[in-house]
Amino acid sequence: MEAVSDNGRSGLGGMGTGRSAVTATVAFDGFRFLAGGATVLIEGTRIVDVLPAAAGSPDGWEVLSAAAILPGLIDTHVHLVGSGEPDALRVDIDRTAEQRAEVIERSLAQQLAAGVTTVRDLGDTDWAVGERGARPGEPTVLSSGPPITIPGGHCAAMGGTAAGTDQLRAAVAERAERGADIVKIMVSGGAMTAGSNLLALQYSEDDVRLVVDEAHRRGLAVTAHAHSLESVRLCLRAGVDAIEHCSCLTETGVVDPPDLGGALARSEVLVTPTFGRLPELAPSPQAEALSRATGFSLADRFTQVGGFHRAGVRLSAGSDAGIHPAKPHGVLPLSVLELVGCGLPVADALATATGAAAEGIGLAGHGVLRRGARADLLLLDGDPATDPAALLRPDTIILAGTPITAPVSGGSPTPS
Ligand SMILES: [Zn+2]
């Protein structure tokens, strides 16, 4: 299900003609900065042209200007049922369906306030996100439904357990029937489930290959949660389309074997390191325990991911938003800044949250300033090329042609 929230309004607040022009001297098109900025012409919910800023705006079009313009951001890894409290995914299990629906609505509002106009949910409970449907004024939502995991395994309480050939086949069939946009499988253990071992494999290579074959036969891609080096290598052999976390952990911390970046690059697998956290907050107790047990450090991961980029690995900035206090919804811009810290040029880091993210999740017509694309735009009051932190200061967010004024701090965005 692609829950596109085209809201039927007539563009830029419906001021008169429904034809509007957004102009900025700095413009990023989803992959690169456009020399001389751009004027983006919008009719209804779509971009109808992208002109040099110097070309000016056609007569009779409403004009909005900003310091910088870029596509609305795409977070390829969120958990909308998590509201950023400690142990959020466990807390969610005890909610009523009504309470869970409120959390999902609030999570989407927080994402939008940060300039995120598309999210991909990689783990809900009881299909709460997958079967919710599109709502006007909200980001576009793609979703996996509950992740496939072993009984008692990582995130098993979300309702997606399957073991053995018959159950795995049935699990993929169920996802296709319910309209999931992607199949998510937990190949290694995870930090946020008590008793789960990150370094342990949950499935065999044959199991993962079966899931990949069944999903591909039904036109669905597969993304794998994989923390350990062993699980990452298994995923590559089994032919998954994407790897979440990809921490390459061993008992002695994060490793980056010389052949791995090249192997990930050649496979064209989309790697989402799930960076992005509020720097002022302590890491989760689970992350601290992991550091004590294995010597894991974020600094090692930044070095590793910088190396992945140099090796040509496809990266997405997806943040794992919602799972604990340091990862609230809307944390994606901080993930982009951390990727800059890994050594990615600013344009490449921005692409991991716009054009390359859309391409990586197979979402055509999103994440780009291009004729025919959906008019999801982020307007900034500074130049992200020279000041990447400008990304933390959205000026105006345009969702399917309709401007949303960013709140001064926190809270929900309001249509302007
Ligand atoms: Zn996750």
Side-chain angles (χ1 to χ4, degrees):
M1 172 202 66
E2 183 193 335
V4 177
S5 57
D6 277 4
N7 57 21
R9 288 185 229 169
S10 58
L12 284 190
M15 298 184 295
T17 62
R19 299 196 301 179
S20 48
V22 184
T23 187
T25 51
V26 175
F28 178 76
D29 75 352
F31 292 94
R32 56 195 68 82
F33 286 98
L34 302 175
T39 296
V40 177
L41 302 184
I42 300 169
E43 278 197 61
T45 61
R46 298 276 151 190
I47 294 173
V48 293
D49 215 344
V50 180
L51 309 170
S57 313
D59 286 346
W61 290 52
E62 304 288 345
V63 179
L64 193 65
S65 53
I69 180 172
L70 60 157
L73 305 180
I74 298 173
D75 194 330
T76 61
H77 187 146
V78 307
H79 296 279
L80 296 172
V81 299
S83 66
E85 63 271 78
D87 253 333
L89 298 185
R90 201 207 57 70
V91 171
D92 166 66
I93 301 302
D94 299 325
R95 290 198 176 101
T96 63
E98 209 166 72
Q99 290 168 330
R100 185 170 297 134
E102 282 170 20
V103 170
I104 293 169
E105 194 174 324
R106 194 167 60 236
S107 300
L108 284 167
Q110 289 165 347
Q111 290 283 358
L112 186 58
V116 178
T117 51
T118 302
V119 297
R120 186 172 66 168
D121 190 281
L122 289 185
D124 64 6
T125 305
D126 295 336
W127 296 91
V129 174
E131 300 195 330
R132 179 174 176 269
R135 306 265 174 97
E138 289 184 348
T140 299
V141 180
L142 305 186
S143 69
S144 67
I148 298 176
T149 191
I150 55 171
H154 181 42
C155 292
M158 298 180 115
T161 57
T165 305
D166 291 348
Q167 287 185 11
L168 287 170
R169 206 171 262 140
V172 176
E174 182 188 10
R175 279 151 184 76
E177 279 154 24
R178 290 189 187 250
D181 298 290
I182 187 160
V183 172
K184 164 106 180 271
I185 179 165
M186 302 299 207
V187 175
S188 78
M192 305 307 287
T193 301
S196 180
N197 176 3
L198 263 81
L199 294 173
L201 289 177
Q202 295 205 145
Y203 289 105
S204 70
E205 186 175 334
D206 284 348
D207 288 339
V208 180
R209 202 184 297 273
L210 172 78
V211 166
V212 169
D213 290 346
E214 287 292 301
H216 286 180
R217 194 165 67 75
R218 296 168 183 277
L220 284 170
V222 175
T223 191
H225 160 106
H227 274 298
S228 68
L229 176 64
E230 193 186 7
S231 64
V232 168
R233 291 213 188 270
L234 183 154
C235 286
L236 279 176
R237 292 194 300 273
V240 303
D241 303 285
I243 301 179
E244 309 301 316
H245 314 301
C246 201
S247 321
C248 303
L249 261 180
T250 68
E251 278 166 7
T252 53
V254 167
V255 293
D256 186 9
D259 66 310
L260 189 67
L264 288 165
R266 279 191 302 280
S267 73
E268 296 184 9
V269 73
L270 181 72
V271 170
T272 302
T274 58
F275 288 161
R277 50 184 297 275
L278 299 180
E280 64 273 23
L281 292 187
S284 66
Q286 292 87 345
E288 282 179 338
L290 184 67
S291 298
R292 280 194 302 276
T294 67
F296 167 93
S297 82
L298 261 182
D300 289 347
R301 286 219 66 204
F302 292 158
T303 304
Q304 173 201 52
V305 171
F308 286 170
H309 176 69
R310 287 191 299 279
V313 178
R314 301 175 80 187
L315 294 171
S316 162
S319 69
D320 218 352
I323 62 163
H324 63 74
K327 282 186 171 293
H329 289 284
V331 80
L332 185 70
L334 287 167
S335 177
V336 174
L337 299 189
E338 288 184 0
L339 288 167
V340 172
C342 292
L344 271 68
V346 174
D348 291 355
L350 288 172
T352 68
T354 54
E359 213 171 71
I361 65 174
L363 195 58
H366 283 243
V368 284
L369 300 187
R370 207 164 283 167
R371 189 179 299 160
R374 198 174 124 101
D376 287 339
L377 305 173
L378 173 56
L379 279 54
L380 304 176
D381 66 4
D383 177 358
T386 53
D387 171 23
L391 209 54
L392 302 172
R393 303 187 303 270
D395 176 325
T396 300
I397 296 133
I398 296 178
L399 183 71
T402 298
I404 308 282
T405 300
V408 178
S409 63
S412 297
T414 48
S416 58

